[in-house]
Amino acid sequence: MTQPVQEETCVVVVGAGPAGLTVANLLHGAGIPCVVLERQSRAYAEQRQRAGIVETRAVRMFQDWGLDARVLGGAPSDDVLEVRVDGRHRLLRFGTDDDGPQALLCPQQVLVANLIATFLDGGGDLRFESSEVALDGLTGQRPTVRYRSPDGTMHEIACDFVAGCDGDHGASRAAVPEGELTAYPFDHRISWLTVLAEAPPPPHPLMAISRHGYAGHFARGPLASRFYLQCAPTDQADDWPDDRVWQHLRTRLGEDGLVAGPITEKVVFPLRSVVHEPMRYGRLYLAGDAAHVVSPVGGKGMNLALYDAEVFARAVRDFIADGDESGLNSYSRTCLHRTWNYQEFSRWMTEMLHDAGDDSRTGPFRRKLALARLDRLCRSRASSLAFAELMAGLA
Ligand code: APR
């Protein structure tokens, strides 16, 4: 068997999602060599549709690293969230009081495409269609990462650190021996039908709690919308013909005049969360979905990935610059602190919005609770500030 091509770098980044690409850009900007290995093609990575509010904290992070103009191509985000309960609506404001930059609406595929272009234009080493990624020697001084390039050649890269940014089903966390990490899974017992449609977006991100169940309506560009409908966990997308989708959206959102449009995607998925602790094993540092999955309510998944990426990049930079190991040693603790804060926020919102239909015995009670919570968020300055802080990521 031919020997793999031997290479060296400082950091191997596995995965080119928001976490991996942010790690790569920050390290590259700090002059630290790194190689990014991504399983998919560039075209695939750039068109993968996902949610996208870049919270205020993350906008300021890109600004601190001088990357905001290049990577944040989105329009400023609306700082108002509309929640309807049985047709009554409440507007929740979540902008910060200071003059600093605010959150941005930036679909994830736009952020990913911008991060890829910025990294490659600056001479970064990003290898798409890398298969059979395998990590070794993680607890030693010099781990290695093997992979097969698209032409079939095996490579072995020796490095100082591995950033495991390859999502919940990647190779990085799978390389950690059984028993070293503890998983904290949570099944919300809620499923969503998610619908992408060429239909006008709402004036504000909109969530509705009604006697018929939860529905959401979010902008996906100037002419497209993402809709959500809570559905039975046993439902398949085929159980939801287009007419049924529009009828439920109109009823639950309380909008008889909701404009329909061609539906381009319909998927059912269960809401789930999980955290893996610690987020470090030897010289492997897990970041983003590789370490934790947060339910989509509250829009924190991508923002957590961006946070982990920066904590890691800073830690490596400090270590390389003056041998300061404190950032590397506190990486897991620092990231987990924010992770659990966001898991709590996301679960709180998930609980408020769901299981409040008349098909549930406790639904009517839950709708009354939701109204009380929303009234408190609107009327109490302390409550509204706490909510805005969490939305902005500044808590
Ligand atoms: N080898 C190389 N790359 C891999 C492998 C592997 N074995 N497995 C997965 N990948 C790649 C995926 O193709 C993907 O591009 O790793 C990347 C992981 O990206 P994301 O799943 O987007 O995860 P992350 O960067 O942590 O961002 C998390 O973004 O996707 C949302 O819901 C997610 O909001 C969350 C946030």
Side-chain angles (χ1 to χ4, degrees), residues 196-202 217-227 259-262 264:
L196 197 58
E198 291 166 22
H217 184 187
F218 296 84
R220 284 294 177 268
L223 300 169
S225 290
R226 170 72 78 184
F227 296 97
V259 179
T264 52

Side-chain angles (χ1 to χ4, degrees), residues 13-22 36-41 44-45 48-51 108 112 127-135 147 164-172 287-294 296 299-306 308:
V13 180
V14 186
L21 290 166
T22 302
V36 187
L37 302 177
E38 166 59 45
R39 187 175 55 181
Q40 303 287 357
S41 66
Y44 182 91
R48 202 167 23 195
Q49 288 257 354
R50 300 249 180 81
Q108 190 169 310
V112 163
R127 307 180 188 182
F128 289 103
E129 297 175 67
S130 298
S131 56
E132 300 175 36
V133 168
L135 286 54
Y147 77 98
C165 306
D166 47 353
D168 192 30
H169 306 288
S172 302
D289 276 17
H292 39 64
V293 175
V294 56
K300 290 304 190 188
M302 179 171 80
N303 289 300
L304 265 185
L306 300 179
D308 297 346

Side-chain angles (χ1 to χ4, degrees), residues 26 96 134 174 208 251 322 359 386:
L26 302 189
T96 57
T251 312
D322 15 76
D359 54 346

Side-chain angles (χ1 to χ4, degrees), residues 24-82:
N25 272 290
L26 302 189
L27 291 178
H28 194 63
I32 298 166
C34 63
V35 175
V36 187
L37 302 177
E38 166 59 45
R39 187 175 55 181
Q40 303 287 357
S41 66
R42 180 173 182 175
Y44 182 91
E46 288 184 344
Q47 58 72 43
R48 202 167 23 195
Q49 288 257 354
R50 300 249 180 81
I53 284 201
V54 182
E55 66 184 12
T56 304
R57 190 211 65 77
V59 171
R60 295 177 185 182
M61 179 271 281
F62 281 121
Q63 191 180 43
D64 289 347
W65 288 78
L67 285 168
D68 52 323
R70 280 303 308 274
V71 305
L72 298 173
S77 161
D78 196 357
D79 67 358
V80 175
L81 206 63
E82 180 176 349

